[in-house]
Every structure is written in C-alpha cells, then in structure tokens.
Amino acid sequence: MLIINTETRQMRTLHHGQAPDGWIPVPVSLEPCARAYCPYCELVIEDGALVDITPTARPPEPEPEPTQAEQLRADVDFIAAMTGVEL
C-alpha cells in the first residue's frame, strides 16, 4: 500500500500494518496522481481519508553545471577582458 506523509508529501510503500501517525494511505485510484505530483501537491482529506491530490507549482530546475569546455571558454574570455586582449 502506498502512503503519503501529510506534512512533507513524501511517499513510501507500506508492506504490512497501518500507516504511522502523520501518514495517510493512498487509494489505488489516486496512486498515479501521487506518483506524478508528490511532493508538489495539496492533499484533499475528508473524514480522515485521502480523496484527491491537486498538483502545485514545482520549483524551477537548477541550471546545469557548465561543461569543461564551457568553463574553459568563460575563463579565457574573462582573462582576455581583464587584460584588454580582443579575441
């Protein structure tokens, strides 16, 4: 059974027993939504049961690190600019 932490929206699979405090079972019909949206979602809980999952905005993806070639070019351009050399 899939469970979601109601505060952090992190998911776990529970193999036996009941969901611990702070966690709620995910109905089978909502599992695809949970996997697609968690942790960027709002949980709709009615009478102690999860009835819907609403997606929220995701933070922007971080810029990828420059490749070695890109970093080398940036270094060369910087040195050229600082020394007055035109490339």
Side-chain angles (χ1 to χ4, degrees):
M1 162 182 16
L2 189 65
I3 59 175
I4 296 177
N5 184 293
T6 57
E7 188 174 319
T8 64
R9 309 300 189 263
Q10 298 300 312
M11 296 183 298
R12 285 192 186 163
T13 301
L14 183 66
H15 297 287
H16 62 305
Q18 293 185 347
D21 288 344
W23 294 77
I24 192 163
V26 178
V28 174
S29 62
L30 291 178
E31 283 187 15
C33 292
R35 294 182 193 285
Y37 304 138
C38 285
Y40 308 107
C41 64
E42 293 294 328
L43 304 178
V44 180
I45 300 171
E46 294 178 0
D47 298 324
L50 182 63
V51 296
D52 199 9
I53 299 174
T54 306
T56 59
R58 292 178 182 255
E61 292 290 323
E63 291 289 322
E65 292 291 321
T67 64
Q68 274 188 317
E70 291 169 333
Q71 187 61 53
L72 179 60
R73 180 61 199 204
D75 292 344
V76 168
D77 289 345
F78 175 77
I79 292 169
M82 297 304 292
T83 58
V85 175
E86 287 190 39
L87 300 177

